[in-house]
Amino acid sequence: MLALLFCCSLALHGCDSAEKGGAQQTTVEEMKETVQAPAFNPDSAYALIAKQVAFGPRVPNTAAHEATGEWIVAKLKGYGLEVKEQRFQMEAYNGTTLNLRNIIASINPGAANRVLLAAHWDTRPLADKDEKEPNTPIDGANDGASGVGVLLEIARTIKEAQLKPDVGVDMIFFDGEDYGQPDNSGLSYKDDTWCLGSQYWSKNKHVPNYRAKYGVLLDMVGAENARFAREGHSMQFAREIVNKVWKAGNKIGYSDYFKYVNAPAIIDDHYYVNRVGNIRMIDIIEYNMNNPDDYFGPYHHRHTDNMDVISKNTLKAVGQTLLHVLYNE
Ligand code: AHN
Ligand code: ZN
């Protein structure tokens, strides 16, 4: 849909004088008529998260991981997206060879103007922050499954909707994000042990010379009362995109979630997409504003990261905000 421009002060003051007036100047952005995006269904997103968790922990080199990858591909194809898979191997911090798979899906593949959405679909092989059973894998309902659930539900919503966004949408489901070196591994610190799938993709795009206007990464976007702050690398690489998304979230009623608060920079998939892949990407990631000792929520890398932490209200806030952004590009 073409953005409809109108000059709101024309009738009262005449366009020229209003513009020269400075204080009354209206930016082009504000003069665009807002497109109403279709409704994001949080019940459906919740079910898509529960389904992933039911496979068991999605740890690379396990049957549950393989089966979940197949399921994500089948879901995307079922929603009419064009799907590409990247299978590759990388070595983990502890020397294990990981069999990994990035999944890339496209809506409206012919559109030149594109937005890239991302989430990681693997789960951490350990619960290294948990006092109990720190060496067994976690459900990763929030850390992993929530972002995937929101993306799949966005794909389903666009498929079902009569009105489509003008912009093309690509979705990347990164593998091997959460196999990073634990703090207490006893090994000397190694760089670049997290985010293996995004490191691979950033060097080996699924399409040569792939370009997107910008990207949005979702990580831990499902916990009850989640707060999303302006993360440091997102601000450093893509401040205007943070502003755009936060403005959208606040405008449509989710000011409890999208906070105008700055948070420290973290290494997450968006870091490699920005630094190595040369595509600006922000991270929507929960920030625990009340705990100076831990960036993340109390369930993080613990066995409590299960379906009990997932809130449909949070899923709705994130999913509806992203749909609003896509439909207004
Ligand atoms: C670090 O802890 C360095 N990065 C967090 C990335 C992450 C882990 N996201 C989910 N799990
Ligand atoms: Zn994690």
Side-chain angles (χ1 to χ4, degrees):
M1 176 181 298
L2 265 180
L4 298 174
L5 294 179
F6 61 96
C7 183
C8 25
S9 49
L10 185 63
L12 288 174
H13 313 282
C15 222
D16 281 358
S17 65
E19 276 176 19
K20 284 181 195 131
Q24 293 178 49
Q25 188 171 337
T26 311
T27 65
V28 171
E29 184 76 4
E30 282 160 350
M31 288 194 291
K32 283 180 188 167
E33 193 174 285
T34 305
V35 177
Q36 170 100 42
F40 181 88
N41 182 335
D43 298 312
S44 177
Y46 184 94
L48 290 163
I49 296 166
K51 175 75 183 177
Q52 292 170 73
V53 170
F55 280 106
R58 281 81 66 212
V59 175
N61 298 354
T62 67
H65 177 264
E66 182 63 21
T68 307
E70 293 300 290
W71 174 81
I72 293 171
V73 169
K75 274 286 173 201
L76 291 164
K77 288 184 177 165
Y79 298 151
L81 281 76
E82 200 175 282
V83 182
K84 289 197 167 79
E85 297 177 61
Q86 282 188 325
R87 288 191 186 256
F88 56 99
Q89 293 187 320
M90 278 175 86
E91 196 179 300
Y93 71 91
N94 59 4
T96 307
T97 299
L98 302 177
N99 297 298
L100 302 174
R101 153 159 64 166
N102 291 331
I103 300 164
I104 304 108
S106 300
I107 299 172
N108 192 2
N113 222 359
R114 313 200 62 76
V115 172
L116 174 59
L117 305 178
H120 76 90
W121 69 274
D122 63 305
T123 49
R124 187 145 181 77
L126 346 139
D128 43 326
K129 287 187 184 174
D130 210 313
E131 273 129 52
K132 286 189 223 133
E133 302 197 63
N135 294 313
T136 57
I138 60 170
D139 279 359
N142 199 34
D143 191 357
S146 67
V148 172
V150 169
L151 293 193
L152 290 176
E153 182 55 18
I154 287 173
R156 195 190 69 83
T157 307
I158 294 174
K159 175 198 192 303
E160 296 294 329
Q162 238 163 8
L163 179 68
K164 312 291 183 192
D166 282 346
V167 77
V169 180
D170 299 302
M171 296 185 172
I172 301 203
F173 301 82
F174 288 126
D175 202 351
E177 189 274 345
D178 234 341
Y179 220 106
Q181 181 179 25
D183 287 340
N184 58 1
S185 70
L187 304 166
S188 60
Y189 177 79
K190 273 194 200 157
D191 282 325
D192 302 325
T193 66
W194 301 85
C195 307
L196 300 178
S198 53
Q199 292 190 56
Y200 181 87
W201 181 81
S202 297
K203 291 184 199 139
N204 307 278
K205 306 264 173 69
H206 62 294
V207 177
N209 303 318
Y210 174 77
R211 292 303 311 162
K213 285 180 75 173
Y214 60 87
V216 180
L217 173 66
L218 305 183
D219 193 4
M220 298 187 265
V221 291
E224 181 144 39
N225 297 320
R227 300 290 173 257
F228 306 113
R230 303 186 296 189
E231 179 272 337
H233 284 135
S234 306
M235 292 297 275
Q236 181 189 330
F237 291 109
R239 177 187 302 257
E240 323 80 76
I241 310 308
V242 174
N243 289 340
K244 183 199 291 263
V245 173
W246 261 239
K247 191 171 171 184
N250 279 268
K251 176 176 172 145
I252 65 173
Y254 301 117
S255 56
D256 285 347
Y257 295 90
F258 292 91
K259 308 306 283 185
Y260 287 98
V261 163
N262 295 326
I266 55 167
I267 303 290
D268 203 348
D269 291 317
H270 72 312
Y271 174 76
Y272 294 99
V273 171
N274 279 298
R275 276 307 279 271
V276 181
N278 259 312
I279 294 174
R280 59 195 175 145
M281 176 179 272
I282 69 165
D283 195 3
I284 302 180
I285 184 164
E286 183 179 354
Y287 178 54
N288 191 345
M289 301 197 297
N290 303 318
N291 185 356
D293 299 326
D294 193 350
Y295 197 104
F296 307 109
Y299 55 81
H300 184 244
H301 294 176
R302 293 180 172 90
H303 294 296
T304 42
D305 184 355
N306 57 34
M307 286 310 290
D308 294 345
V309 307
I310 301 298
S311 152
K312 292 178 184 176
N313 293 334
T314 306
L315 299 172
K316 175 74 176 175
V318 174
Q320 196 64 60
T321 296
L322 280 176
L323 279 173
H324 184 89
V325 169
L326 295 176
Y327 274 80
N328 284 281
E329 274 305 338

